Amino acid sequence: MATAEAMATVADKAPITSERKVPEDLETKLPKPYLPRALTASDTENVNGTWDHKHNNMSVLQQHAAFFDLDNDGIIYPWETYRGFRSIGFNVISSFIFMIIIHAATWLPSPLFPIHIQNIHRAKHGGDSGSYDTEGRFIPANFEIMFSKYARKVPDKLTLRELWHMTQANSVAYDFFGWAASKFEWGVLYILARDEEGFLSKEAVRRCFDGSLFEYCAKVRKGTAGKMA
Protein backbone atom coordinates (compact mmCIF):
# COMPACT_ATOMS: atom_id res chain seq x y z
CA MET A 1 0.00 0.00 0.00
CA ALA A 2 1.26 3.47 -0.88
CA THR A 3 2.38 5.62 2.03
CA ALA A 4 0.95 9.06 2.78
CA GLU A 5 4.22 10.57 1.61
CA ALA A 6 4.01 8.75 -1.70
CA MET A 7 0.49 10.12 -2.25
CA ALA A 8 1.24 13.69 -1.15
CA THR A 9 0.14 16.45 -3.53
CA VAL A 10 1.91 19.30 -1.72
CA ALA A 11 5.66 19.89 -1.32
CA ASP A 12 6.55 22.42 1.38
CA LYS A 13 9.44 23.86 -0.62
CA ALA A 14 7.22 24.35 -3.67
CA PRO A 15 4.49 26.74 -2.45
CA ILE A 16 2.79 26.67 -5.84
CA THR A 17 1.73 23.07 -5.13
CA SER A 18 -0.23 24.36 -2.14
CA GLU A 19 -1.77 27.25 -4.07
CA ARG A 20 -2.92 25.07 -6.97
CA LYS A 21 -4.64 22.20 -5.26
CA VAL A 22 -5.61 19.00 -7.08
CA PRO A 23 -8.63 16.81 -6.25
CA GLU A 24 -7.79 13.69 -4.26
CA ASP A 25 -11.14 11.88 -4.39
CA LEU A 26 -11.99 11.76 -8.09
CA GLU A 27 -12.27 7.97 -8.16
CA THR A 28 -15.12 8.11 -5.65
CA LYS A 29 -17.14 10.34 -7.98
CA LEU A 30 -16.09 9.26 -11.47
CA PRO A 31 -15.04 5.79 -12.69
CA LYS A 32 -11.43 5.72 -13.88
CA PRO A 33 -11.04 9.52 -14.07
CA TYR A 34 -7.61 9.28 -15.68
CA LEU A 35 -8.91 7.11 -18.54
CA PRO A 36 -9.18 9.21 -21.73
CA ARG A 37 -12.73 9.10 -23.09
CA ALA A 38 -12.96 8.78 -26.86
CA LEU A 39 -16.68 9.57 -27.20
CA THR A 40 -17.88 11.52 -24.17
CA ALA A 41 -16.86 14.59 -22.19
CA SER A 42 -17.41 13.10 -18.74
CA ASP A 43 -16.97 14.82 -15.41
CA THR A 44 -18.03 14.20 -11.81
CA GLU A 45 -21.52 15.57 -12.46
CA ASN A 46 -21.95 13.92 -15.86
CA VAL A 47 -20.27 10.52 -15.79
CA ASN A 48 -21.84 9.57 -19.12
CA GLY A 49 -21.17 12.87 -20.84
CA THR A 50 -23.77 15.29 -22.18
CA TRP A 51 -27.26 13.86 -22.08
CA ASP A 52 -28.89 13.47 -25.51
CA HIS A 53 -25.77 14.64 -27.35
CA LYS A 54 -25.03 12.51 -30.41
CA HIS A 55 -21.35 11.67 -30.76
CA ASN A 56 -21.70 9.87 -34.13
CA ASN A 57 -18.63 7.80 -33.25
CA MET A 58 -16.42 10.89 -33.47
CA SER A 59 -13.78 11.72 -30.91
CA VAL A 60 -14.67 14.44 -28.42
CA LEU A 61 -12.35 16.87 -30.21
CA GLN A 62 -13.99 16.03 -33.54
CA GLN A 63 -17.39 16.65 -31.95
CA HIS A 64 -16.14 20.05 -30.78
CA ALA A 65 -15.33 21.04 -34.36
CA ALA A 66 -18.19 19.26 -36.14
CA PHE A 67 -20.75 21.96 -35.34
CA PHE A 68 -19.05 24.18 -37.92
CA ASP A 69 -19.20 21.50 -40.64
CA LEU A 70 -22.53 22.75 -41.91
CA ASP A 71 -22.84 20.38 -44.86
CA ASN A 72 -21.47 17.35 -42.95
CA ASP A 73 -18.82 16.55 -45.55
CA GLY A 74 -16.01 16.28 -43.00
CA ILE A 75 -14.38 19.54 -44.08
CA ILE A 76 -14.87 22.97 -42.55
CA TYR A 77 -14.40 25.87 -44.93
CA PRO A 78 -14.01 29.51 -43.87
CA TRP A 79 -17.55 30.45 -44.89
CA GLU A 80 -18.91 27.63 -42.72
CA THR A 81 -16.95 28.89 -39.73
CA TYR A 82 -18.31 32.38 -40.33
CA ARG A 83 -21.90 31.14 -40.55
CA GLY A 84 -21.39 28.94 -37.49
CA PHE A 85 -20.26 31.87 -35.35
CA ARG A 86 -23.15 33.96 -36.60
CA SER A 87 -25.58 31.19 -35.66
CA ILE A 88 -24.40 31.11 -32.04
CA GLY A 89 -24.74 34.85 -31.56
CA PHE A 90 -21.61 36.68 -32.68
CA ASN A 91 -21.96 39.74 -34.88
CA VAL A 92 -20.74 40.11 -38.46
CA ILE A 93 -17.40 41.72 -37.58
CA SER A 94 -16.51 39.28 -34.77
CA SER A 95 -17.48 36.26 -36.87
CA PHE A 96 -15.34 37.48 -39.76
CA ILE A 97 -12.33 38.08 -37.52
CA PHE A 98 -12.70 34.66 -35.86
CA MET A 99 -12.94 33.02 -39.28
CA ILE A 100 -9.71 34.69 -40.43
CA ILE A 101 -7.80 33.76 -37.26
CA ILE A 102 -8.94 30.14 -37.22
CA HIS A 103 -8.38 29.36 -40.87
CA ALA A 104 -5.16 31.33 -41.17
CA ALA A 105 -3.68 28.76 -38.79
CA THR A 106 -4.46 25.80 -41.05
CA TRP A 107 -1.36 24.03 -42.25
CA LEU A 108 -2.73 22.45 -45.42
CA PRO A 109 -1.45 24.21 -48.56
CA SER A 110 -4.86 24.94 -50.06
CA PRO A 111 -6.26 28.29 -51.22
CA LEU A 112 -9.56 27.39 -49.54
CA PHE A 113 -7.95 27.00 -46.08
CA PRO A 114 -9.96 23.88 -45.17
CA ILE A 115 -10.04 22.17 -41.78
CA HIS A 116 -10.39 18.39 -42.05
CA ILE A 117 -12.29 17.04 -39.06
CA GLN A 118 -10.66 13.61 -39.42
CA ASN A 119 -7.28 15.23 -38.72
CA ILE A 120 -8.41 17.80 -36.17
CA HIS A 121 -6.19 16.20 -33.51
CA ARG A 122 -3.23 17.68 -35.40
CA ALA A 123 -4.51 21.13 -34.46
CA LYS A 124 -3.85 20.51 -30.75
CA HIS A 125 -1.37 23.14 -29.60
CA GLY A 126 0.87 23.84 -26.66
CA GLY A 127 -0.37 25.78 -23.67
CA ASP A 128 -3.79 24.14 -23.54
CA SER A 129 -5.50 22.65 -20.48
CA GLY A 130 -4.63 19.05 -21.34
CA SER A 131 -8.30 18.07 -21.32
CA TYR A 132 -7.82 16.64 -24.81
CA ASP A 133 -5.06 14.11 -25.38
CA THR A 134 -3.01 14.10 -28.58
CA GLU A 135 -5.58 11.86 -30.28
CA GLY A 136 -8.55 14.07 -29.42
CA ARG A 137 -9.90 12.04 -26.49
CA PHE A 138 -11.21 13.77 -23.36
CA ILE A 139 -9.36 13.29 -20.06
CA PRO A 140 -11.79 13.90 -17.17
CA ALA A 141 -9.05 14.14 -14.54
CA ASN A 142 -7.30 16.99 -16.33
CA PHE A 143 -10.60 18.78 -16.76
CA GLU A 144 -11.39 18.47 -13.05
CA ILE A 145 -7.86 19.52 -12.10
CA MET A 146 -8.27 22.71 -14.13
CA PHE A 147 -11.11 23.85 -11.89
CA SER A 148 -9.49 22.56 -8.72
CA LYS A 149 -6.37 24.62 -9.42
CA TYR A 150 -7.81 27.85 -10.75
CA ALA A 151 -11.47 28.28 -9.68
CA ARG A 152 -10.80 30.13 -6.43
CA LYS A 153 -13.82 32.40 -6.07
CA VAL A 154 -16.47 29.78 -6.91
CA PRO A 155 -15.44 26.08 -7.09
CA ASP A 156 -17.24 25.28 -10.35
CA LYS A 157 -16.87 28.61 -12.14
CA LEU A 158 -14.01 30.69 -13.54
CA THR A 159 -13.67 34.45 -13.59
CA LEU A 160 -11.90 36.29 -16.40
CA ARG A 161 -8.92 36.86 -14.10
CA GLU A 162 -8.78 33.16 -13.24
CA LEU A 163 -8.91 32.26 -16.93
CA TRP A 164 -5.97 34.56 -17.52
CA HIS A 165 -4.00 32.96 -14.68
CA MET A 166 -4.81 29.50 -16.04
CA THR A 167 -3.65 30.25 -19.57
CA GLN A 168 -0.52 31.89 -18.22
CA ALA A 169 0.25 28.87 -16.04
CA ASN A 170 -0.27 26.45 -18.94
CA SER A 171 1.89 28.39 -21.39
CA VAL A 172 5.03 26.78 -22.73
CA ALA A 173 8.27 28.74 -23.02
CA TYR A 174 8.79 30.26 -26.50
CA ASP A 175 5.56 28.72 -27.79
CA PHE A 176 4.09 31.99 -29.01
CA PHE A 177 1.48 30.35 -31.24
CA GLY A 178 0.23 28.16 -28.38
CA TRP A 179 0.07 31.17 -26.06
CA ALA A 180 -1.94 33.23 -28.56
CA ALA A 181 -4.21 30.33 -29.53
CA SER A 182 -5.03 29.54 -25.91
CA LYS A 183 -5.84 33.16 -25.08
CA PHE A 184 -8.00 33.42 -28.21
CA GLU A 185 -9.97 30.21 -27.60
CA TRP A 186 -10.71 30.90 -23.95
CA GLY A 187 -11.49 34.53 -24.67
CA VAL A 188 -14.07 33.57 -27.29
CA LEU A 189 -15.61 31.00 -24.95
CA TYR A 190 -15.81 33.55 -22.14
CA ILE A 191 -17.59 36.05 -24.39
CA LEU A 192 -19.99 33.37 -25.59
CA ALA A 193 -20.89 31.63 -22.34
CA ARG A 194 -20.23 33.89 -19.35
CA ASP A 195 -23.20 34.44 -17.05
CA GLU A 196 -24.64 37.74 -15.84
CA GLU A 197 -22.17 37.86 -12.96
CA GLY A 198 -19.17 37.40 -15.24
CA PHE A 199 -18.49 33.74 -14.44
CA LEU A 200 -17.77 30.93 -16.91
CA SER A 201 -19.37 27.78 -15.53
CA LYS A 202 -17.82 24.35 -15.45
CA GLU A 203 -20.82 22.96 -17.34
CA ALA A 204 -20.45 25.50 -20.14
CA VAL A 205 -16.75 24.67 -20.47
CA ARG A 206 -17.41 20.93 -20.50
CA ARG A 207 -20.07 21.31 -23.18
CA CYS A 208 -17.72 23.44 -25.24
CA PHE A 209 -15.29 20.53 -25.27
CA ASP A 210 -17.84 18.20 -26.88
CA GLY A 211 -19.47 20.90 -29.03
CA SER A 212 -22.91 20.61 -27.45
CA LEU A 213 -22.61 24.18 -26.15
CA PHE A 214 -22.59 25.48 -29.73
CA GLU A 215 -25.69 23.47 -30.57
CA TYR A 216 -27.41 24.84 -27.48
CA CYS A 217 -26.51 28.45 -28.27
CA ALA A 218 -27.76 28.08 -31.84
CA LYS A 219 -31.07 26.69 -30.56
CA VAL A 220 -31.38 29.55 -28.06
CA ARG A 221 -31.08 32.04 -30.90
CA LYS A 222 -33.84 30.21 -32.71
CA GLY A 223 -35.93 30.03 -29.57
CA THR A 224 -36.06 26.23 -29.56
CA ALA A 225 -33.74 25.35 -26.66
CA GLY A 226 -34.63 24.21 -23.19
CA LYS A 227 -32.63 25.16 -20.12
CA MET A 228 -29.00 24.01 -20.18
CA ALA A 229 -28.40 21.40 -17.48
Side-chain angles (χ1 to χ4, degrees), residues 16-57:
I16 195 69
T17 61
S18 177
E19 294 173 18
R20 299 177 185 167
K21 298 184 182 301
V22 295
E24 300 181 5
D25 60 347
L26 282 182
E27 291 185 354
T28 66
K29 301 176 181 178
L30 181 66
K32 298 184 178 180
Y34 294 95
L35 179 69
R37 268 64 164 178
L39 303 176
T40 64
S42 305
D43 69 357
T44 54
E45 288 78 34
N46 305 272
V47 296
N48 295 312
T50 302
W51 180 81
D52 203 30
H53 173 60
K54 296 179 175 62
H55 55 68
N56 296 319
N57 281 318

Side-chain angles (χ1 to χ4, degrees), residues 79-219:
W79 52 89
E80 292 181 295
T81 298
Y82 171 82
R83 288 170 56 196
F85 276 112
R86 291 287 290 136
S87 73
I88 60 178
F90 288 99
N91 62 35
V92 171
I93 296 175
S94 296
S95 298
F96 183 78
I97 292 173
F98 297 161
M99 175 195 74
I100 295 297
I101 293 174
I102 290 171
H103 286 270
T106 58
W107 64 272
L108 291 174
S110 168
L112 297 179
F113 297 95
I115 296 173
H116 293 259
I117 292 179
Q118 181 178 353
N119 299 323
I120 194 66
H121 61 281
R122 297 178 183 174
K124 180 174 162 60
H125 55 76
D128 65 2
S129 68
S131 296
Y132 293 124
D133 69 7
T134 52
E135 293 73 39
R137 291 174 292 229
F138 183 83
I139 307 176
N142 288 353
F143 177 76
E144 297 288 347
I145 286 171
M146 172 173 58
F147 281 87
S148 176
K149 282 185 176 182
Y150 303 106
R152 304 286 183 83
K153 199 166 185 180
V154 180
D156 61 349
K157 295 181 180 181
L158 292 165
T159 65
L160 184 58
R161 180 184 294 274
E162 289 166 347
L163 281 174
W164 179 268
H165 288 163
M166 179 189 70
T167 54
Q168 288 292 96
N170 289 338
S171 62
V172 179
Y174 303 109
D175 179 16
F176 302 112
F177 174 80
W179 180 88
S182 180
K183 289 287 193 295
F184 169 74
E185 292 165 354
W186 284 101
V188 170
L189 176 58
Y190 180 79
I191 294 171
L192 175 65
R194 71 187 187 279
D195 63 23
E196 294 179 354
E197 297 179 340
F199 290 105
L200 183 62
S201 73
K202 179 182 178 183
E203 178 66 357
V205 176
R206 188 190 65 80
R207 292 185 64 167
C208 176
F209 276 105
D210 70 7
S212 62
L213 175 67
F214 305 139
E215 298 169 1
Y216 172 80
C217 291
K219 289 178 181 178

